[in-house]
């Protein structure tokens, strides 16, 4: 093998590795880091509490989404605003959430206990919520991008970007 062929082979190998490392689409999308707990934490000035949007994705295909209020000093849950659980399916960068239970605070209160939440009826004909996943900051952040429509308006604006919860 000539020096030129050796350089070309090395170049092609490096190029192949680089291209494979950059593809985040289709069936090659790596979900190894997807499972576990993700959160978005925003300090709520009016209540002097953290509003925490949580997403838990389990390897068995189940999920839980919740919005809680937590004490910023202790991280203890003060109350719940929303809780949803169900199942999800993955296909490449696409995730489809199918709710099996959907609970909201049913009064003018900002939050309540789990017992205060009211079950929302899930229509048997309802379609799963389909979103695109995008890993950011070397997998420490997860964006869940849902196309807007009249039914899902509250779920898609703005795109939630969750941070991995480390235990």
């Amino acid at each position: 093998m000539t020096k030129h062929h050796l350089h070309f082979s090395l170049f092609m190998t490096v190029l192949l590795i680089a291209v494979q490392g950059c593809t985040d689409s289709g069936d090659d999308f790596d979900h190894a880091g997807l499972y576990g707990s993700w959160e978005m934490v925003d300090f709520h000035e009016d209540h002097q509490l953290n509003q925490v949007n949580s997403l838990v994705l389990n390897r068995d295909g189940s999920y839980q989404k919740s919005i809680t209020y937590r004490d910023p000093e202790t991280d203890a849950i003060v109350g719940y605003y929303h809780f949803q659980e169900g199942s999800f399916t993955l296909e490449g960068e696409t995730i489809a959430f199918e709710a099996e239970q959907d609970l909201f605070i049913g009064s003018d209160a900002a939050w309540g206990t789990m017992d205060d939440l009211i079950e929302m009826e899930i229509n048997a004909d309802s379609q799963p919520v389909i979103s695109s996943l995008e890993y950011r900051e070397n997998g420490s952040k997860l964006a869940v991008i849902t196309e807007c429509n009249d039914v899902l308006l509250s779920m898609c604006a703005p795109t939630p970007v969750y941070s991995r919860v480390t235990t």
Side-chain angles (χ1 to χ4, degrees):
M1 186 179 282
T2 68
K3 188 175 180 181
H4 176 72
H5 285 109
L6 183 62
H7 283 287
F8 181 75
S9 294
L10 182 60
F11 171 77
M12 291 305 292
T13 302
V14 169
L15 182 63
L16 182 63
I17 291 169
V19 169
Q20 286 177 339
C22 292
T23 57
D24 269 352
S25 62
D27 295 332
D28 295 336
F29 194 69
D30 182 15
H31 293 299
L34 179 66
Y35 304 103
S37 298
W38 300 87
E39 290 182 346
M40 290 186 314
V41 180
D42 295 304
F43 185 71
H44 200 285
E45 288 284 338
D46 294 347
H47 305 302
Q48 296 293 300
L49 296 170
N50 285 334
Q51 181 179 359
V52 181
N53 289 284
S54 299
L55 174 63
V56 178
L57 298 168
N58 301 306
R59 289 188 185 278
D60 68 359
S62 65
Y63 77 89
Q64 295 84 37
K65 289 182 184 182
S66 65
I67 300 174
T68 56
Y69 285 94
R70 297 187 192 169
D71 183 306
E73 310 256 332
T74 65
D75 205 36
I77 294 176
V78 173
Y80 290 85
Y81 175 78
H82 175 240
F83 180 84
Q84 181 183 83
E85 61 185 352
S87 60
F88 68 92
T89 54
L90 292 169
E91 189 174 317
E93 297 174 22
T94 302
I95 189 166
F97 294 101
E98 193 157 352
E100 294 162 12
Q101 182 181 42
D102 204 4
L103 308 171
F104 283 95
I105 191 69
S107 63
D108 291 335
W111 65 80
T113 66
M114 278 294 278
D115 290 338
D116 293 331
L117 299 180
I118 295 173
E119 188 157 3
M120 304 300 291
E121 186 176 332
I122 297 172
N123 185 336
D125 297 329
S126 68
Q127 297 295 311
V129 175
I130 298 174
S131 304
S132 296
L133 299 174
E134 183 179 292
Y135 293 110
R136 298 182 181 171
E137 296 182 28
N138 296 320
S140 66
K141 302 229 183 254
L142 176 69
V144 181
I145 304 157
T146 306
E147 292 295 321
C148 291
N149 64 44
D150 292 342
V151 176
L152 301 174
L153 192 56
S154 64
M155 298 183 68
C156 58
T159 294
V161 179
Y162 297 92
S163 296
R164 177 172 300 287
V165 176
T166 54
T167 53

